[in-house]
Amino acid sequence: MITVVFSDLHGNLPALIKLKNLYPECKNWLSLGDNVNYGPWSNECVQFIEEEMDCISLLGNHEEYFLAGTYGGENIVARTFFDFCYEQFSLQKIISKYTDCIDIGSYHCSHTIDNKYIFHDTDIVIDRNHLIGHSHQQFFVTKGEFKIINPGSLGQNRKYINQADYAVYYNETDTFELKNFIFDLDIVISEMKNKKYPQICIDYYMNKEQVI
């Protein structure tokens, strides 16, 4: 049996549907949070996960922003995305049911650790195995006796914007395989233009490096 794990979907419905179609028989899905914001399908992604997938969703910081109705950061691009996307979002009732954390096998699953961005080279002491998202960086590292695994971002890869990262957990062996695929970014940008996103948001996606 497997569990397909993804994180930081950020309103990217084409990437979510492509992932679902890669594992049509999968009965166990786990989102590590941030299903919403940035991409043009926050409502549709939340609804698809709720209705079409046997998925446990954890609470990410962007769900917290959408529930609170405010974004506390100062980055102008991130603030513009939030201001635009929050006004379009209507499924707070669903995301309010997301849980903070769960355990699968020997791994403690949460959006991140101590509300920090954890990267592959972050100096951190841990006392258990962790499965996290948040940093949009796919990695598997060992810290002392324990491991940290990040499946990367399914919807908004910060290195190659058209690459979707995820992981497959093998329940019998308590192991992970890190995987990825390429999706059509033009579909995302076209929908952003259709929905009249601010140009600073469209430029953010258009100016990112892509896998050719």
Side-chain angles (χ1 to χ4, degrees), residues 103-116:
D103 291 335
I104 60 170
S106 66
Y107 287 83
H108 183 67
C109 311
S110 58
H111 187 59
T112 189
I113 302 170
D114 296 332
N115 294 316
K116 296 177 180 178

Side-chain angles (χ1 to χ4, degrees), residues 31-197:
S31 166
L32 298 175
D34 281 3
N35 293 329
V36 301
N37 205 11
Y38 291 106
W41 296 282
S42 287
N43 283 306
E44 292 86 349
C45 284
V46 169
Q47 189 167 10
F48 188 89
I49 290 169
E50 179 78 2
E51 297 178 357
E52 303 295 333
M53 303 170 73
D54 298 307
C55 186
I56 295 172
S57 284
L58 304 187
L59 189 70
N61 55 299
H62 286 268
E63 279 85 24
E64 291 179 342
Y65 300 153
F66 274 26
L67 290 171
T70 183
Y71 168 74
E74 298 180 356
N75 181 284
I76 185 61
V77 177
R79 179 174 292 278
T80 304
F81 269 112
F82 171 81
D83 289 343
F84 183 85
C85 294
Y86 175 71
E87 289 299 318
Q88 318 299 316
F89 190 70
S90 61
L91 299 180
Q92 279 84 359
K93 185 175 181 180
I94 294 178
I95 66 173
S96 70
K97 298 185 297 183
Y98 290 1
T99 188
D100 288 329
C101 59
I102 65 164
D103 291 335
I104 60 170
S106 66
Y107 287 83
H108 183 67
C109 311
S110 58
H111 187 59
T112 189
I113 302 170
D114 296 332
N115 294 316
K116 296 177 180 178
Y117 284 98
I118 308 297
F119 300 97
H120 74 280
D121 57 352
T122 297
D123 187 13
I124 184 173
V125 177
I126 55 175
D127 60 2
R128 64 200 306 183
N129 294 326
H130 285 272
L131 177 64
I132 61 172
H134 193 48
S135 67
H136 295 221
Q137 184 185 82
Q138 187 181 70
F139 63 84
F140 178 111
V141 295
T142 300
K143 300 288 185 179
E145 299 179 11
F146 301 101
K147 304 177 182 69
I148 303 176
I149 296 175
N150 190 319
S153 174
L154 184 66
Q156 196 199 50
N157 189 307
R158 289 180 182 158
K159 183 175 182 181
Y160 299 116
I161 190 66
N162 64 333
Q163 178 174 297
D165 293 337
Y166 68 100
V168 175
Y169 173 71
Y170 297 94
N171 299 60
E172 288 82 3
T173 57
D174 195 32
T175 57
F176 286 86
E177 182 179 7
L178 301 180
K179 308 190 77 167
N180 60 68
F181 60 82
I182 305 303
F183 63 89
D184 188 350
L185 184 66
D186 289 341
I187 297 174
V188 178
I189 293 174
S190 177
E191 184 65 11
M192 292 174 72
K193 291 178 178 178
N194 288 340
K195 291 187 174 177
K196 302 187 185 308
Y197 267 67

